[in-house]
Amino acid sequence: MRGLFVTGTDTGVGKTEVACALVRAARAAGLDAVGMKPAQSGHVPGEPSDAERLREASDRVEPLEAICPYTFGAPLAPAAAARLEGREVSLARVVEAARALAARHAAVVVEGAGGLLVPLTARETHADLAAALGLPVLVVARAGLGTVNHTALTVEALERRGLAVAGIVLNRTGPEDDPSVPLNAAEIARLTYREPLALLPWEPDIARRARSLGSILGAKIQF
């Protein structure tokens, strides 16, 4: 399978933005890439879900159920949200859906939920999914205070499992910076021996931000 697995150091760090930007940049460059969200939860009615945003970035080449096999109402980890609804997520079904997308397209960008060790099923985490798919993992982290510890722990968890790290991206999720932002990339590089690929800028206009992210990431990340 050709593609990337996009994980985060936490929820709300911009995984969907980054995944969508990667898919758009790849498609603009002539690569038939498609996004996938194996399981999403806590969708707010009236707002586009993560899976819907990935489908739009993929030029709607697949139906929503192919992009996202599982959707749950509660804003919880997929495994917990599934239990509340009397359902269960199957790792085998997710892997089968990803392989089906890979058979129809040149590359698949799979966006996890929350962080790497967030439970996907009753027994497996998103790290287990990344391993089952055999995809290199791109780590999306906040640019500001707290990111050094979260990023280093995520990279360590990936390395302990023998998972390939495609890179680290620091994402500014708001207009306000803190004093750590100019220093965090160097600290992460010192601890993980991996220089972050990019410090993504803040841009309040959604369309301009999407274009900016696509331009930056498309030039730095190949799959």
Side-chain angles (χ1 to χ4, degrees):
M1 187 181 300
R2 182 181 180 185
L4 280 173
F5 188 94
V6 179
T7 193
T9 53
D10 195 0
T11 190
V13 297
K15 291 188 306 298
T16 304
E17 272 194 319
V18 168
C20 287
L22 286 168
V23 171
R24 285 196 180 96
R27 294 186 69 81
L31 179 67
D32 178 22
V34 65
M36 182 186 186
K37 181 81 174 183
Q40 65 179 359
S41 53
H43 171 50
V44 178
E47 296 183 8
S49 68
D50 291 352
E52 288 167 337
R53 292 171 66 186
L54 284 166
R55 182 170 181 253
E56 288 295 324
S58 307
D59 296 326
R60 300 189 179 190
V61 293
E62 292 284 346
L64 190 61
E65 58 269 23
I67 299 287
C68 183
Y70 293 98
T71 296
F72 305 105
L76 302 169
R83 282 197 299 272
L84 286 182
E85 297 183 15
R87 300 165 61 192
E88 186 172 348
V89 178
S90 163
L91 179 64
R93 180 184 168 191
V94 170
V95 172
E96 181 182 2
R99 287 177 177 163
L101 287 175
R104 296 192 292 270
H105 303 278
V108 184
V109 177
V110 181
E111 182 203 344
L116 183 68
L117 299 185
V118 165
L120 175 66
T121 77
R123 294 164 295 279
E124 293 112 353
T125 69
H126 282 78
D128 297 310
L129 173 59
L133 295 177
L135 291 175
V137 180
L138 180 69
V139 178
V140 181
R142 288 188 180 87
L145 194 64
T147 196
V148 172
N149 178 62
H150 294 162
T151 305
L153 286 173
T154 299
V155 170
E156 182 176 298
L158 288 167
E159 291 176 340
R160 285 172 63 89
R161 287 165 173 78
L163 297 174
V165 182
I168 300 164
V169 170
L170 301 180
N171 188 35
R172 291 184 61 201
T173 56
E176 299 299 325
D177 275 343
D178 64 66
S180 75
V181 171
L183 309 174
N184 286 335
E187 288 300 295
I188 288 169
R190 183 174 65 82
L191 289 172
T192 67
Y193 303 101
R194 298 177 185 276
E195 187 78 30
L197 298 174
L199 172 58
L200 301 177
W202 167 250
E203 168 55 63
D205 183 275
I206 294 175
R208 281 203 298 265
R209 179 171 173 81
R211 289 193 296 270
S212 175
L213 298 191
S215 176
I216 294 168
L217 296 174
K220 291 180 176 289
I221 300 171
Q222 305 297 319
F223 51 85

